[in-house]
């Protein structure tokens, strides 16, 4: 029997790299979309580059998406590409809408043109709940996005549902709460904190400038969450699922846990800085993953404390290797 083929947009990102590893372990042939850049940014997939095929294209370019699907003829498409940093979405609202919202329609349309039997996963986000209308948030909770990014993701969610209902596509929206890892971008708060805790411990920095300490997030491990994406596409009937741990922690607690890992008190090193405050904040997110537990048999394996410890240890190791004389 020939191998199943998966196409991943956003393969060079945090989730793309974990999903590619997972699909390879399931025996898939894995293809990924990459943007042309003057300097290569394949660090997260370098260790598997020989086992995957990277194809050039862009979520802004319809032709590249349709042509790629025609060439590859995938069974499953995972749309992880996005301008994914909430803060940047206020500086680049139109670009964020183009990639993160309209990009979804471009890809769905390419599927319609090439083969409507292709199964489709859309990377939706807990940021759609924004100013939350109920606690915890579940699939039926109304959306109230609080940033251009959140608004773009609401569009991506509904266009996925719309193509499913209009054309009968096997299209699924996974509403994932924050998930992190040692491969998380340095601009996101967990990695920023673990990286700085490690730098300060090693004497490479002496302060961490940070924004709102009170916001609360439901943080899980990216390696656990990519499995849920795959499980969703293995179901006979497409549906939408919340993926979360069900636990929430504040940024202040994140600081506590990360700095404790290196035996330091965060209060001695942290400075609050207006530049990291947002025009509108999402104060509290906590998801109810019970539908995913029941229908997909999915549950998270890594706790918040284990996750932060894993990230601090990885940062210490990287920094020691980088700074070895
Ligand atoms: P990253 O920011 O790490 O990765 C984003 C990926 O999208 C990168 O590979 C990036 O490529 C690619 N990309 C951006 N713009 C384009 C474009 N115009 N054309 C083609 N590719 C593009 O995000 P994550 O891995 O953390 O998240 C994956 C997806 O899941 C995103 O859609 C995100 O919004 C969503 N999500 C993430 C959550 C999280 O907590 N991590 C939670 C809920 C949803 P390049 O490397 O070239 O920049
Ligand atoms: P988020 O993640 O906006 O939830 O989006 P981020 O880590 O950027 O912020 C989480 C919370 O921490 C507060 N915060 C800071 N954030 C950053 N980045 N830097 C700081 O210095 C800082 N200080 C406090 C923020 O205000 C916020 O409340 C992530 C992304 O991965 C999205 O793509 C995804 O959809 C959602 O998670 C679910």
């Amino acid at each position: 029997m020939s191998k199943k083929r998966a196409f991943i947009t956003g393969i060079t990102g945090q989730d793309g790299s974990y999903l590619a590893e997972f699909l390879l372990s399931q025996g898939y042939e894995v293809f990924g979309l990459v943007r042309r850049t003057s300097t290569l940014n394949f660090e997260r997939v370098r260790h598997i580059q020989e086992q995957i095929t990277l194809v050039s294209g862009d979520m802004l370019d319809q032709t590249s998406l349709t042509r790629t699907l025609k060439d590859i003829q995938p069974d499953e498409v995972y749309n992880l590409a996005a301008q994914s940093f909430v803060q940047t979405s206020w500086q680049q609202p139109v670009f964020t809408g183009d990639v993160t919202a309209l990009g979804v329609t471009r890809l769905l349309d390419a599927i319609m043109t090439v083969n409507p039997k292709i199964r489709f996963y859309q990377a939706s986000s807990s940021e759609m709940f924004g100013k939350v209308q109920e606690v915890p948030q579940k699939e039926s909770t109304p959306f109230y996005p609080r940033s251009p990014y959140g608004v773009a993701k609401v569009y991506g969610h509904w266009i996925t549902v719309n193509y499913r209902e209009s054309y009968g596509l096997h299209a699924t929206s996974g509403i994932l709460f924050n998930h992190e890892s040692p491969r998380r971008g340095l601009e996101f708060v967990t990695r920023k904190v673990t990286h700085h805790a490690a730098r300060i411990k090693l004497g490479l920095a002496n302060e961490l400038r940070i924004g709102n300490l009170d916001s609360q997030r439901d943080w899980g491990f990216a390696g656990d969450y990519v499995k849920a994406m795959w499980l969703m596409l293995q179901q006979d009937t497409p549906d939408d699922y919340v993926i979360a741990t069900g636990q929430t922690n504040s940024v202040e607690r994140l600081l506590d846990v990360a700095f404790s890992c290196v035996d330091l008190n965060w209060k001695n090193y942290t400075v609050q800085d207006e530049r990291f405050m947002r025009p509108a904040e999402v104060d509290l997110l906590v998801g109810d993953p019970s539908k995913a537990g029941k229908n997909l048999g999915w549950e998270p394996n890594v706790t918040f404390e284990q996750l932060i410890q894993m990230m601090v240890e990885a940062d210490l190791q990287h920094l020691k290797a980088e700074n070895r004389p």
Side-chain angles (χ1 to χ4, degrees), residues 108 119-121 160-161 163-164 169-173 238-240:
L108 285 165
R119 295 190 174 195
F120 177 75
Y121 173 84
T160 301
V161 173
Y163 269 59
R164 178 167 81 215
L169 291 190
H170 193 298
T172 283
S173 169
D239 203 346
D240 306 322

Side-chain angles (χ1 to χ4, degrees), residues 9-17 33-35 37 41 44 57-60 79-85 95 99-100 121-127 149 153 174-180 183-185 187-188 219 222 225 229:
T9 71
I11 197 163
T12 53
Q14 172 189 255
D15 289 8
S17 65
L33 187 75
V34 290
R35 306 193 266 185
T37 46
N41 64 345
R44 294 186 178 105
D58 199 296
M59 295 306 289
L60 301 177
N79 183 35
L80 310 185
Q83 189 304 93
S84 77
F85 188 39
F95 174 74
V99 178
T100 306
Y121 173 84
Q122 166 58 14
S124 291
S125 164
S126 51
E127 282 294 298
Y149 168 82
K153 282 290 180 186
I175 307 175
L176 273 52
F177 282 61
N178 299 54
H179 46 278
E180 322 292 313
R183 296 183 204 163
R184 186 58 143 154
E187 67 274 38
F188 298 95
W219 279 297
Y225 285 41
M229 298 175 185

Side-chain angles (χ1 to χ4, degrees), residues 80-253:
L80 310 185
Q83 189 304 93
S84 77
F85 188 39
V86 172
Q87 187 124 24
T88 293
S89 76
W90 277 284
Q91 279 136 16
Q92 300 186 38
V94 176
F95 174 74
T96 301
D98 210 349
V99 178
T100 306
L102 283 180
V104 188
T105 312
R106 292 191 188 99
L107 195 50
L108 285 165
D109 217 70
I111 289 176
M112 287 299 297
T113 305
V114 172
N115 176 9
K117 290 209 159 45
I118 294 171
R119 295 190 174 195
F120 177 75
Y121 173 84
Q122 166 58 14
S124 291
S125 164
S126 51
E127 282 294 298
M128 301 192 303
F129 297 123
K131 190 172 177 183
V132 298
Q133 303 296 293
E134 68 179 326
V135 180
Q137 296 84 52
K138 48 183 189 279
E139 292 77 5
S140 57
T141 303
F143 299 139
Y144 194 140
R146 294 272 280 170
S147 62
Y149 168 82
V151 174
K153 282 290 180 186
V154 171
Y155 175 95
H157 169 83
W158 282 117
I159 200 70
T160 301
V161 173
N162 183 262
Y163 269 59
R164 178 167 81 215
E165 292 177 355
S166 303
Y167 305 118
L169 291 190
H170 193 298
T172 283
S173 169
I175 307 175
L176 273 52
F177 282 61
N178 299 54
H179 46 278
E180 322 292 313
S181 73
R183 296 183 204 163
R184 186 58 143 154
L186 282 166
E187 67 274 38
F188 298 95
V189 75
T190 51
R191 182 76 198 289
K192 183 175 173 178
V193 167
T194 62
H195 185 73
H196 276 81
R199 285 180 74 83
I200 293 169
K201 180 69 183 176
L202 298 176
L204 299 168
N206 49 27
E207 71 171 22
L208 162 61
R209 304 191 81 84
I210 195 139
N212 182 9
L213 299 186
D214 298 327
S215 53
Q216 291 170 271
R217 290 290 183 277
D218 181 330
W219 279 297
F221 172 50
D224 288 343
Y225 285 41
V226 296
K227 186 172 177 204
M229 298 175 185
W230 173 76
L231 283 169
M232 288 180 217
L233 294 204
Q234 309 319 304
Q235 307 307 303
D236 291 338
T237 313
D239 203 346
D240 306 322
Y241 293 95
V242 160
I243 301 296
T245 68
Q247 307 290 321
T248 194
N249 284 284
S250 65
V251 172
E252 184 167 331
R253 166 122 173 93

Side-chain angles (χ1 to χ4, degrees), residues 20-84:
E21 277 172 9
F22 177 77
L23 293 174
L24 286 171
S25 78
Q26 297 297 310
Y28 279 71
E29 221 176 318
V30 175
F31 298 80
L33 187 75
V34 290
R35 306 193 266 185
R36 194 264 158 185
T37 46
S38 65
T39 319
L40 289 184
N41 64 345
F42 296 169
E43 302 100 80
R44 294 186 178 105
V45 286
R46 188 155 296 135
H47 61 294
I48 49 170
Q49 216 174 316
E50 299 298 309
Q51 301 164 65
I52 60 181
T53 307
L54 299 176
V55 189
S56 168
D58 199 296
M59 295 306 289
L60 301 177
D61 180 11
Q62 180 74 58
T63 312
S64 68
L65 299 177
T66 311
R67 187 178 295 153
T68 301
L69 292 191
K70 243 186 215 143
D71 290 348
I72 296 174
Q73 295 290 337
D75 301 286
E76 297 172 8
V77 169
Y78 295 85
N79 183 35
L80 310 185
Q83 189 304 93
S84 77

